[in-house]
Amino acid sequence: MTGTPYRAGHVAVIGRPNVGKSTLVNALVGAKISITSNRPQTTRHRLLGIATFPAGQLALVDTPGIHREQKRAMNRWMNRAARGALEGVDAAMLVVQAGRWDDEDGLAYDTLKAAGLPVVLVVNQVDRLKDKTALLPYLAKAAEGRDFAAVHPVSALKRLGLEALVRDVLALVPEQDALYGEDEITDKSQRFLAGEMVREQLMRQLGEELPYATTVEIERFEIDGALLRIGAVIWVERSGQKAIVIGKGGERLREIGTRARQQMEQLFDAKVFLETWVRVREGWSDDEAALKSLGYE
């Protein structure tokens, strides 16, 4: 037999917060498995996205953004999760925002090179560049003095430039059979994904700081024939935050629940009955034991 050998491997998706790592993973997988918002540090957990192509399979390890600030236990936990995702991977994609390179981008690059991984630079959001002539000088400057296996300008949101990116990343992983079934798209359970869908709405609908004081715990996940019955607790740190999440007459909480339920039904391809409650657990985001009890392993 002749032809291109099949390749499969694990690839870490690394970068500073809010550069579109999760959007890129979703675009490559072809399904929404990672939540997204325009707020930094939306991703808190390591999550595997399985992208299967005719030429091979990429197990994409989506990670929290690497950042210098480590004021709270949550920040320290996310940095550990991001760095821990480098164990056992074959290559990495460093995702940056087109036109911008700062100290946290440099920190992410240094982390990858210290791990001895081949790195593909993914310059995301090129569609947002107002001055397109600035792209080539930016790419040259970003690559200067740095060892990248390839450099790819893309728009994950608009799915531009992804075919060439996949081709070059597949070239960095071993020749072997697929690691996961063709119909598998993530290693996370529906229960975990349900909690993330609720948290996504918190990130999108609440004010500047409040989303970082919230987390979601799924208390109930039951299959009732063709119906999924899900109970979600939204944890906040102060009683005043609870009132904000609930909103006047419960309006905001209903909106959060409605939008989260719609996302779940689309992802799970099932009818969902979702109940939500808001409870207070003071200081949970700076308490290692509380983080562990809330699923931050």
Side-chain angles (χ1 to χ4, degrees):
M1 297 288 290
T2 60
T4 305
Y6 196 87
R7 293 178 177 270
H10 289 82
V11 179
V13 184
I14 296 290
R16 61 175 171 79
N18 216 32
V19 292
K21 299 182 297 296
S22 295
T23 301
L24 177 63
V25 169
N26 290 340
L28 294 174
V29 171
K32 183 173 181 176
I33 56 168
S34 290
I35 65 172
T36 61
S37 81
N38 59 5
R39 300 192 186 282
Q41 300 171 29
T42 298
T43 299
R44 291 179 179 171
H45 300 265
R46 170 204 167 278
L47 183 146
L48 194 70
I50 302 162
T52 303
F53 309 97
Q57 186 180 78
L58 297 175
L60 303 165
V61 186
D62 190 13
T63 62
I66 292 178
H67 52 287
R68 294 187 185 278
E69 187 177 284
Q70 300 192 49
K71 291 181 180 179
R72 297 175 301 164
M74 171 64 77
N75 299 111
R76 296 190 292 273
W77 186 91
M78 287 192 291
N79 270 348
R80 290 198 301 271
R83 288 184 167 88
L86 302 183
E87 297 178 9
V89 301
D90 303 293
M93 290 190 281
L94 172 58
V95 185
V96 300
Q97 180 183 338
R100 177 178 172 182
W101 183 285
D102 62 21
D103 289 344
E104 287 189 325
D105 295 309
L107 174 64
Y109 172 79
D110 292 341
T111 300
L112 294 174
K113 294 314 292 184
L117 295 169
V119 180
V120 173
L121 178 63
V122 182
V123 181
N124 193 25
Q125 302 175 3
V126 293
D127 54 307
R128 296 186 184 180
L129 276 181
K130 293 181 180 179
D131 181 9
K132 304 301 184 186
T133 63
L135 181 59
L136 287 179
Y138 168 80
L139 294 176
K141 185 175 181 180
E144 185 177 356
R146 301 183 180 96
D147 181 22
F148 292 116
V151 177
H152 285 274
V154 307
S155 169
L157 188 62
K158 296 188 176 181
R159 303 182 62 85
L160 300 175
L162 300 186
E163 287 187 14
L165 171 63
V166 167
R167 182 181 64 244
D168 281 355
V169 176
L170 278 173
L172 300 175
V173 302
E175 295 182 13
Q176 59 180 339
D177 293 336
L179 303 173
Y180 302 91
E182 190 173 343
D183 59 344
E184 291 183 79
I185 58 174
T186 184
D187 63 339
K188 294 297 187 184
S189 66
Q190 287 184 324
R191 187 186 193 101
F192 171 87
L193 295 172
E196 288 289 270
M197 294 297 168
V198 176
R199 195 168 62 80
E200 178 180 55
Q201 294 308 314
L202 294 170
M203 299 296 290
R204 292 188 170 194
Q205 297 192 40
L206 297 179
E208 190 66 30
E209 296 297 330
L210 189 55
Y212 303 108
T214 63
T215 194
V216 177
E217 182 180 21
I218 300 299
E219 278 197 340
R220 185 176 77 253
F221 193 103
E222 299 171 354
I223 301 174
D224 184 3
L227 179 69
L228 295 178
R229 296 186 180 274
I230 300 172
V233 176
I234 299 169
W235 290 101
V236 297
E237 295 189 306
R238 297 191 300 274
S239 57
Q241 296 168 343
K242 177 178 178 178
I244 294 172
V245 174
I246 293 173
K248 186 177 180 180
E251 184 177 348
R252 177 174 283 120
L253 184 59
R254 282 195 298 271
E255 180 70 9
I256 288 169
T258 296
R259 291 181 180 269
R261 176 183 55 77
Q262 291 169 347
Q263 292 281 355
M264 292 178 200
E265 289 181 339
Q266 183 176 353
L267 181 62
F268 302 152
D269 193 25
K271 189 71 175 174
V272 171
F273 177 74
L274 174 65
E275 291 182 285
T276 55
W277 303 273
V278 185
R279 297 175 187 161
V280 179
R281 184 166 184 171
E282 292 188 8
W284 70 264
S285 68
D286 199 24
D287 183 333
E288 295 279 358
L291 288 173
K292 187 172 183 179
S293 72
L294 291 169
Y296 292 87
E297 296 289 351

